[in-house]
Amino acid sequence: MVNSGSSVSFISHFDKTRLVNLKGEAFFEVVKNGKPFHVLTSSGDIEVLGTTFNVSAFEGENFQTTLLTGIVKVKEKQTGNEVSLQPGQQAGIYDREIKVENVETDMFSSWKDRKTDFQE
């Protein structure tokens, strides 16, 4: 699902790898089928292995990906540094460094169900 002000592009035929380009925010549910799945953004790339996760990569804002299920690898484009996330973790890229923290995933994925999550 793609959030407002966002766009996803991809080629119509996947060969050995499934590549998706994202500008903005999207929620992905990826089925494991033997072909690697990659989400490419201007700040960082994500390698996916059958999972559900949210990505926020709006131009001019910090990159974030939040993992709900499965495992993803997040790679910062300029340094090549990468981390693997476990469910309930979020990776953010700040000044070319990846920072990982534990989060309440609903706060970052409720938009896809047209829900607003207000924090106290």
Side-chain angles (χ1 to χ4, degrees):
M1 175 169 277
V2 180
N3 205 348
S4 67
S6 304
S7 66
V8 173
S9 62
F10 54 92
I11 57 174
S12 60
H13 175 72
F14 294 122
D15 288 324
K16 296 178 184 176
T17 304
R18 300 175 286 173
L19 296 175
V20 173
N21 290 294
L22 171 66
K23 291 181 182 178
E25 185 172 24
F27 184 85
F28 294 89
E29 292 184 34
V30 179
V31 175
K32 192 172 186 176
N33 73 354
K35 292 182 181 182
F37 187 93
H38 295 267
V39 178
L40 310 178
T41 74
S42 61
S43 299
D45 298 337
I46 302 162
E47 180 181 348
V48 182
L49 306 167
T51 188
T52 56
F53 62 102
N54 191 74
V55 180
S56 180
F58 288 103
E59 291 296 321
E61 294 184 18
N62 291 321
F63 168 97
Q64 289 182 325
T65 188
T66 307
L67 182 63
L68 281 72
T69 63
I71 298 174
V72 297
K73 288 183 187 176
V74 177
K75 182 176 181 179
E76 199 281 328
K77 282 201 181 256
Q78 294 181 351
T79 64
N81 292 337
E82 66 181 34
V83 297
S84 292
L85 296 182
Q86 299 297 317
Q89 291 184 321
Q90 180 182 75
I93 298 177
Y94 309 95
D95 297 321
R96 292 182 284 204
E97 286 195 36
I98 303 172
K99 295 184 181 177
V100 177
E101 63 182 333
N102 295 324
V103 297
E104 292 293 326
T105 59
D106 288 346
M107 292 173 43
F108 302 94
S109 61
S110 61
W111 66 267
K112 70 177 180 59
D113 298 319
R114 295 191 170 112
K115 295 179 183 174
T116 302
D117 193 339
F118 294 100
Q119 297 180 13
E120 263 185 51

mmCIF file with all atom_site columns, all heavy atoms in Angstrom, residues 79-97:
data_model
loop_
_atom_site.group_PDB
_atom_site.id
_atom_site.type_symbol
_atom_site.label_atom_id
_atom_site.label_alt_id
_atom_site.label_comp_id
_atom_site.label_asym_id
_atom_site.label_entity_id
_atom_site.label_seq_id
_atom_site.pdbx_PDB_ins_code
_atom_site.Cartn_x
_atom_site.Cartn_y
_atom_site.Cartn_z
_atom_site.occupancy
_atom_site.B_iso_or_equiv
_atom_site.pdbx_formal_charge
_atom_site.auth_seq_id
_atom_site.auth_comp_id
_atom_site.auth_asym_id
_atom_site.auth_atom_id
_atom_site.pdbx_PDB_model_num
ATOM 1   N N   . THR A 1 79 ? 27.775 4.955   2.478  1.00 0.00 ? 79 THR A N   1
ATOM 2   C CA  . THR A 1 79 ? 28.830 4.252   3.214  1.00 0.00 ? 79 THR A CA  1
ATOM 3   C C   . THR A 1 79 ? 28.841 2.752   2.931  1.00 0.00 ? 79 THR A C   1
ATOM 4   O O   . THR A 1 79 ? 29.854 2.094   3.132  1.00 0.00 ? 79 THR A O   1
ATOM 5   C CB  . THR A 1 79 ? 28.665 4.442   4.729  1.00 0.00 ? 79 THR A CB  1
ATOM 6   O OG1 . THR A 1 79 ? 27.432 3.825   5.142  1.00 0.00 ? 79 THR A OG1 1
ATOM 7   C CG2 . THR A 1 79 ? 28.690 5.907   5.108  1.00 0.00 ? 79 THR A CG2 1
ATOM 8   N N   . GLY A 1 80 ? 27.688 2.208   2.525  1.00 0.00 ? 80 GLY A N   1
ATOM 9   C CA  . GLY A 1 80 ? 27.585 0.767   2.320  1.00 0.00 ? 80 GLY A CA  1
ATOM 10  C C   . GLY A 1 80 ? 27.348 0.000   3.610  1.00 0.00 ? 80 GLY A C   1
ATOM 11  O O   . GLY A 1 80 ? 27.244 -1.222  3.596  1.00 0.00 ? 80 GLY A O   1
ATOM 12  N N   . ASN A 1 81 ? 27.273 0.701   4.753  1.00 0.00 ? 81 ASN A N   1
ATOM 13  C CA  . ASN A 1 81 ? 26.995 0.033   6.029  1.00 0.00 ? 81 ASN A CA  1
ATOM 14  C C   . ASN A 1 81 ? 25.606 -0.574  5.994  1.00 0.00 ? 81 ASN A C   1
ATOM 15  O O   . ASN A 1 81 ? 24.694 -0.011  5.398  1.00 0.00 ? 81 ASN A O   1
ATOM 16  C CB  . ASN A 1 81 ? 27.098 1.022   7.196  1.00 0.00 ? 81 ASN A CB  1
ATOM 17  C CG  . ASN A 1 81 ? 28.511 1.500   7.417  1.00 0.00 ? 81 ASN A CG  1
ATOM 18  O OD1 . ASN A 1 81 ? 29.469 0.846   7.032  1.00 0.00 ? 81 ASN A OD1 1
ATOM 19  N ND2 . ASN A 1 81 ? 28.645 2.656   8.039  1.00 0.00 ? 81 ASN A ND2 1
ATOM 20  N N   . GLU A 1 82 ? 25.460 -1.745  6.651  1.00 0.00 ? 82 GLU A N   1
ATOM 21  C CA  . GLU A 1 82 ? 24.152 -2.386  6.675  1.00 0.00 ? 82 GLU A CA  1
ATOM 22  C C   . GLU A 1 82 ? 23.888 -3.036  8.020  1.00 0.00 ? 82 GLU A C   1
ATOM 23  O O   . GLU A 1 82 ? 24.823 -3.364  8.753  1.00 0.00 ? 82 GLU A O   1
ATOM 24  C CB  . GLU A 1 82 ? 23.994 -3.381  5.538  1.00 0.00 ? 82 GLU A CB  1
ATOM 25  C CG  . GLU A 1 82 ? 24.885 -4.590  5.591  1.00 0.00 ? 82 GLU A CG  1
ATOM 26  C CD  . GLU A 1 82 ? 24.678 -5.526  4.404  1.00 0.00 ? 82 GLU A CD  1
ATOM 27  O OE1 . GLU A 1 82 ? 24.389 -5.058  3.293  1.00 0.00 ? 82 GLU A OE1 1
ATOM 28  O OE2 . GLU A 1 82 ? 24.801 -6.735  4.615  1.00 0.00 ? 82 GLU A OE2 1
ATOM 29  N N   . VAL A 1 83 ? 22.591 -3.188  8.326  1.00 0.00 ? 83 VAL A N   1
ATOM 30  C CA  . VAL A 1 83 ? 22.149 -3.861  9.546  1.00 0.00 ? 83 VAL A CA  1
ATOM 31  C C   . VAL A 1 83 ? 20.980 -4.770  9.185  1.00 0.00 ? 83 VAL A C   1
ATOM 32  O O   . VAL A 1 83 ? 20.277 -4.531  8.211  1.00 0.00 ? 83 VAL A O   1
ATOM 33  C CB  . VAL A 1 83 ? 21.704 -2.870  10.649 1.00 0.00 ? 83 VAL A CB  1
ATOM 34  C CG1 . VAL A 1 83 ? 22.847 -1.983  11.093 1.00 0.00 ? 83 VAL A CG1 1
ATOM 35  C CG2 . VAL A 1 83 ? 20.522 -2.042  10.207 1.00 0.00 ? 83 VAL A CG2 1
ATOM 36  N N   . SER A 1 84 ? 20.782 -5.804  9.991  1.00 0.00 ? 84 SER A N   1
ATOM 37  C CA  . SER A 1 84 ? 19.604 -6.663  9.870  1.00 0.00 ? 84 SER A CA  1
ATOM 38  C C   . SER A 1 84 ? 18.647 -6.316  10.993 1.00 0.00 ? 84 SER A C   1
ATOM 39  O O   . SER A 1 84 ? 19.072 -6.104  12.133 1.00 0.00 ? 84 SER A O   1
ATOM 40  C CB  . SER A 1 84 ? 20.001 -8.139  9.972  1.00 0.00 ? 84 SER A CB  1
ATOM 41  O OG  . SER A 1 84 ? 20.754 -8.524  8.858  1.00 0.00 ? 84 SER A OG  1
ATOM 42  N N   . LEU A 1 85 ? 17.358 -6.247  10.665 1.00 0.00 ? 85 LEU A N   1
ATOM 43  C CA  . LEU A 1 85 ? 16.343 -5.936  11.665 1.00 0.00 ? 85 LEU A CA  1
ATOM 44  C C   . LEU A 1 85 ? 15.559 -7.181  12.041 1.00 0.00 ? 85 LEU A C   1
ATOM 45  O O   . LEU A 1 85 ? 15.330 -8.061  11.212 1.00 0.00 ? 85 LEU A O   1
ATOM 46  C CB  . LEU A 1 85 ? 15.356 -4.895  11.127 1.00 0.00 ? 85 LEU A CB  1
ATOM 47  C CG  . LEU A 1 85 ? 15.882 -3.516  10.803 1.00 0.00 ? 85 LEU A CG  1
ATOM 48  C CD1 . LEU A 1 85 ? 14.734 -2.621  10.343 1.00 0.00 ? 85 LEU A CD1 1
ATOM 49  C CD2 . LEU A 1 85 ? 16.592 -2.901  11.985 1.00 0.00 ? 85 LEU A CD2 1
ATOM 50  N N   . GLN A 1 86 ? 15.118 -7.212  13.286 1.00 0.00 ? 86 GLN A N   1
ATOM 51  C CA  . GLN A 1 86 ? 14.222 -8.231  13.801 1.00 0.00 ? 86 GLN A CA  1
ATOM 52  C C   . GLN A 1 86 ? 12.848 -7.582  13.975 1.00 0.00 ? 86 GLN A C   1
ATOM 53  O O   . GLN A 1 86 ? 12.747 -6.349  14.072 1.00 0.00 ? 86 GLN A O   1
ATOM 54  C CB  . GLN A 1 86 ? 14.734 -8.752  15.147 1.00 0.00 ? 86 GLN A CB  1
ATOM 55  C CG  . GLN A 1 86 ? 16.114 -9.394  15.075 1.00 0.00 ? 86 GLN A CG  1
ATOM 56  C CD  . GLN A 1 86 ? 16.137 -10.629 14.199 1.00 0.00 ? 86 GLN A CD  1
ATOM 57  O OE1 . GLN A 1 86 ? 15.236 -11.469 14.257 1.00 0.00 ? 86 GLN A OE1 1
ATOM 58  N NE2 . GLN A 1 86 ? 17.159 -10.751 13.372 1.00 0.00 ? 86 GLN A NE2 1
ATOM 59  N N   . PRO A 1 87 ? 11.763 -8.371  14.045 1.00 0.00 ? 87 PRO A N   1
ATOM 60  C CA  . PRO A 1 87 ? 10.441 -7.776  14.244 1.00 0.00 ? 87 PRO A CA  1
ATOM 61  C C   . PRO A 1 87 ? 10.405 -6.870  15.470 1.00 0.00 ? 87 PRO A C   1
ATOM 62  O O   . PRO A 1 87 ? 10.992 -7.178  16.509 1.00 0.00 ? 87 PRO A O   1
ATOM 63  C CB  . PRO A 1 87 ? 9.539  -9.000  14.432 1.00 0.00 ? 87 PRO A CB  1
ATOM 64  C CG  . PRO A 1 87 ? 10.225 -10.067 13.642 1.00 0.00 ? 87 PRO A CG  1
ATOM 65  C CD  . PRO A 1 87 ? 11.700 -9.825  13.873 1.00 0.00 ? 87 PRO A CD  1
ATOM 66  N N   . GLY A 1 88 ? 9.738  -5.712  15.306 1.00 0.00 ? 88 GLY A N   1
ATOM 67  C CA  . GLY A 1 88 ? 9.641  -4.747  16.384 1.00 0.00 ? 88 GLY A CA  1
ATOM 68  C C   . GLY A 1 88 ? 10.781 -3.741  16.408 1.00 0.00 ? 88 GLY A C   1
ATOM 69  O O   . GLY A 1 88 ? 10.850 -2.898  17.296 1.00 0.00 ? 88 GLY A O   1
ATOM 70  N N   . GLN A 1 89 ? 11.657 -3.799  15.412 1.00 0.00 ? 89 GLN A N   1
ATOM 71  C CA  . GLN A 1 89 ? 12.765 -2.848  15.334 1.00 0.00 ? 89 GLN A CA  1
ATOM 72  C C   . GLN A 1 89 ? 12.569 -1.881  14.178 1.00 0.00 ? 89 GLN A C   1
ATOM 73  O O   . GLN A 1 89 ? 11.915 -2.200  13.191 1.00 0.00 ? 89 GLN A O   1
ATOM 74  C CB  . GLN A 1 89 ? 14.103 -3.564  15.168 1.00 0.00 ? 89 GLN A CB  1
ATOM 75  C CG  . GLN A 1 89 ? 14.537 -4.327  16.386 1.00 0.00 ? 89 GLN A CG  1
ATOM 76  C CD  . GLN A 1 89 ? 15.914 -4.928  16.213 1.00 0.00 ? 89 GLN A CD  1
ATOM 77  O OE1 . GLN A 1 89 ? 16.275 -5.416  15.147 1.00 0.00 ? 89 GLN A OE1 1
ATOM 78  N NE2 . GLN A 1 89 ? 16.694 -4.885  17.286 1.00 0.00 ? 89 GLN A NE2 1
ATOM 79  N N   . GLN A 1 90 ? 13.177 -0.707  14.335 1.00 0.00 ? 90 GLN A N   1
ATOM 80  C CA  . GLN A 1 90 ? 13.147 0.315   13.303 1.00 0.00 ? 90 GLN A CA  1
ATOM 81  C C   . GLN A 1 90 ? 14.572 0.797   13.050 1.00 0.00 ? 90 GLN A C   1
ATOM 82  O O   . GLN A 1 90 ? 15.334 1.008   13.984 1.00 0.00 ? 90 GLN A O   1
ATOM 83  C CB  . GLN A 1 90 ? 12.301 1.497   13.750 1.00 0.00 ? 90 GLN A CB  1
ATOM 84  C CG  . GLN A 1 90 ? 12.210 2.609   12.725 1.00 0.00 ? 90 GLN A CG  1
ATOM 85  C CD  . GLN A 1 90 ? 11.396 3.765   13.267 1.00 0.00 ? 90 GLN A CD  1
ATOM 86  O OE1 . GLN A 1 90 ? 11.867 4.526   14.103 1.00 0.00 ? 90 GLN A OE1 1
ATOM 87  N NE2 . GLN A 1 90 ? 10.153 3.849   12.820 1.00 0.00 ? 90 GLN A NE2 1
ATOM 88  N N   . ALA A 1 91 ? 14.913 0.939   11.768 1.00 0.00 ? 91 ALA A N   1
ATOM 89  C CA  . ALA A 1 91 ? 16.203 1.511   11.391 1.00 0.00 ? 91 ALA A CA  1
ATOM 90  C C   . ALA A 1 91 ? 15.959 2.874   10.780 1.00 0.00 ? 91 ALA A C   1
ATOM 91  O O   . ALA A 1 91 ? 15.066 3.043   9.950  1.00 0.00 ? 91 ALA A O   1
ATOM 92  C CB  . ALA A 1 91 ? 16.925 0.611   10.388 1.00 0.00 ? 91 ALA A CB  1
ATOM 93  N N   . GLY A 1 92 ? 16.750 3.842   11.209 1.00 0.00 ? 92 GLY A N   1
ATOM 94  C CA  . GLY A 1 92 ? 16.699 5.181   10.634 1.00 0.00 ? 92 GLY A CA  1
ATOM 95  C C   . GLY A 1 92 ? 18.084 5.554   10.140 1.00 0.00 ? 92 GLY A C   1
ATOM 96  O O   . GLY A 1 92 ? 19.085 5.123   10.713 1.00 0.00 ? 92 GLY A O   1
ATOM 97  N N   . ILE A 1 93 ? 18.143 6.314   9.060  1.00 0.00 ? 93 ILE A N   1
ATOM 98  C CA  . ILE A 1 93 ? 19.428 6.786   8.550  1.00 0.00 ? 93 ILE A CA  1
ATOM 99  C C   . ILE A 1 93 ? 19.504 8.275   8.836  1.00 0.00 ? 93 ILE A C   1
ATOM 100 O O   . ILE A 1 93 ? 18.678 9.060   8.374  1.00 0.00 ? 93 ILE A O   1
ATOM 101 C CB  . ILE A 1 93 ? 19.585 6.489   7.050  1.00 0.00 ? 93 ILE A CB  1
ATOM 102 C CG1 . ILE A 1 93 ? 19.556 4.974   6.828  1.00 0.00 ? 93 ILE A CG1 1
ATOM 103 C CG2 . ILE A 1 93 ? 20.887 7.098   6.518  1.00 0.00 ? 93 ILE A CG2 1
ATOM 104 C CD1 . ILE A 1 93 ? 19.638 4.550   5.374  1.00 0.00 ? 93 ILE A CD1 1
ATOM 105 N N   . TYR A 1 94 ? 20.506 8.645   9.642  1.00 0.00 ? 94 TYR A N   1
ATOM 106 C CA  . TYR A 1 94 ? 20.713 10.016  10.081 1.00 0.00 ? 94 TYR A CA  1
ATOM 107 C C   . TYR A 1 94 ? 22.170 10.385  9.806  1.00 0.00 ? 94 TYR A C   1
ATOM 108 O O   . TYR A 1 94 ? 23.074 9.772   10.385 1.00 0.00 ? 94 TYR A O   1
ATOM 109 C CB  . TYR A 1 94 ? 20.409 10.167  11.575 1.00 0.00 ? 94 TYR A CB  1
ATOM 110 C CG  . TYR A 1 94 ? 19.056 9.600   11.963 1.00 0.00 ? 94 TYR A CG  1
ATOM 111 C CD1 . TYR A 1 94 ? 18.930 8.307   12.442 1.00 0.00 ? 94 TYR A CD1 1
ATOM 112 C CD2 . TYR A 1 94 ? 17.908 10.361  11.811 1.00 0.00 ? 94 TYR A CD2 1
ATOM 113 C CE1 . TYR A 1 94 ? 17.695 7.786   12.781 1.00 0.00 ? 94 TYR A CE1 1
ATOM 114 C CE2 . TYR A 1 94 ? 16.666 9.860   12.147 1.00 0.00 ? 94 TYR A CE2 1
ATOM 115 C CZ  . TYR A 1 94 ? 16.572 8.564   12.632 1.00 0.00 ? 94 TYR A CZ  1
ATOM 116 O OH  . TYR A 1 94 ? 15.334 8.049   12.954 1.00 0.00 ? 94 TYR A OH  1
ATOM 117 N N   . ASP A 1 95 ? 22.384 11.356  8.939  1.00 0.00 ? 95 ASP A N   1
ATOM 118 C CA  . ASP A 1 95 ? 23.746 11.779  8.577  1.00 0.00 ? 95 ASP A CA  1
ATOM 119 C C   . ASP A 1 95 ? 24.625 10.581  8.207  1.00 0.00 ? 95 ASP A C   1
ATOM 120 O O   . ASP A 1 95 ? 25.721 10.410  8.717  1.00 0.00 ? 95 ASP A O   1
ATOM 121 C CB  . ASP A 1 95 ? 24.387 12.572  9.727  1.00 0.00 ? 95 ASP A CB  1
ATOM 122 C CG  . ASP A 1 95 ? 23.643 13.853  10.016 1.00 0.00 ? 95 ASP A CG  1
ATOM 123 O OD1 . ASP A 1 95 ? 23.187 14.507  9.050  1.00 0.00 ? 95 ASP A OD1 1
ATOM 124 O OD2 . ASP A 1 95 ? 23.516 14.197  11.201 1.00 0.00 ? 95 ASP A OD2 1
ATOM 125 N N   . ARG A 1 96 ? 24.123 9.734   7.333  1.00 0.00 ? 96 ARG A N   1
ATOM 126 C CA  . ARG A 1 96 ? 24.817 8.561   6.791  1.00 0.00 ? 96 ARG A CA  1
ATOM 127 C C   . ARG A 1 96 ? 25.108 7.462   7.814  1.00 0.00 ? 96 ARG A C   1
ATOM 128 O O   . ARG A 1 96 ? 25.891 6.568   7.569  1.00 0.00 ? 96 ARG A O   1
ATOM 129 C CB  . ARG A 1 96 ? 26.100 8.968   6.073  1.00 0.00 ? 96 ARG A CB  1
ATOM 130 C CG  . ARG A 1 96 ? 25.816 9.753   4.807  1.00 0.00 ? 96 ARG A CG  1
ATOM 131 C CD  . ARG A 1 96 ? 27.082 10.074  4.133  1.00 0.00 ? 96 ARG A CD  1
ATOM 132 N NE  . ARG A 1 96 ? 27.689 11.170  4.886  1.00 0.00 ? 96 ARG A NE  1
ATOM 133 C CZ  . ARG A 1 96 ? 28.551 12.028  4.401  1.00 0.00 ? 96 ARG A CZ  1
ATOM 134 N NH1 . ARG A 1 96 ? 28.947 11.918  3.173  1.00 0.00 ? 96 ARG A NH1 1
ATOM 135 N NH2 . ARG A 1 96 ? 29.033 12.987  5.136  1.00 0.00 ? 96 ARG A NH2 1
ATOM 136 N N   . GLU A 1 97 ? 24.471 7.519   8.979  1.00 0.00 ? 97 GLU A N   1
ATOM 137 C CA  . GLU A 1 97 ? 24.615 6.460   9.981  1.00 0.00 ? 97 GLU A CA  1
ATOM 138 C C   . GLU A 1 97 ? 23.269 5.795   10.195 1.00 0.00 ? 97 GLU A C   1
ATOM 139 O O   . GLU A 1 97 ? 22.232 6.451   10.226 1.00 0.00 ? 97 GLU A O   1
ATOM 140 C CB  . GLU A 1 97 ? 25.111 7.030   11.306 1.00 0.00 ? 97 GLU A CB  1
ATOM 141 C CG  . GLU A 1 97 ? 26.572 7.411   11.266 1.00 0.00 ? 97 GLU A CG  1
ATOM 142 C CD  . GLU A 1 97 ? 27.128 7.619   12.659 1.00 0.00 ? 97 GLU A CD  1
ATOM 143 O OE1 . GLU A 1 97 ? 26.726 6.892   13.588 1.00 0.00 ? 97 GLU A OE1 1
ATOM 144 O OE2 . GLU A 1 97 ? 27.959 8.521   12.805 1.00 0.00 ? 97 GLU A OE2 1
#
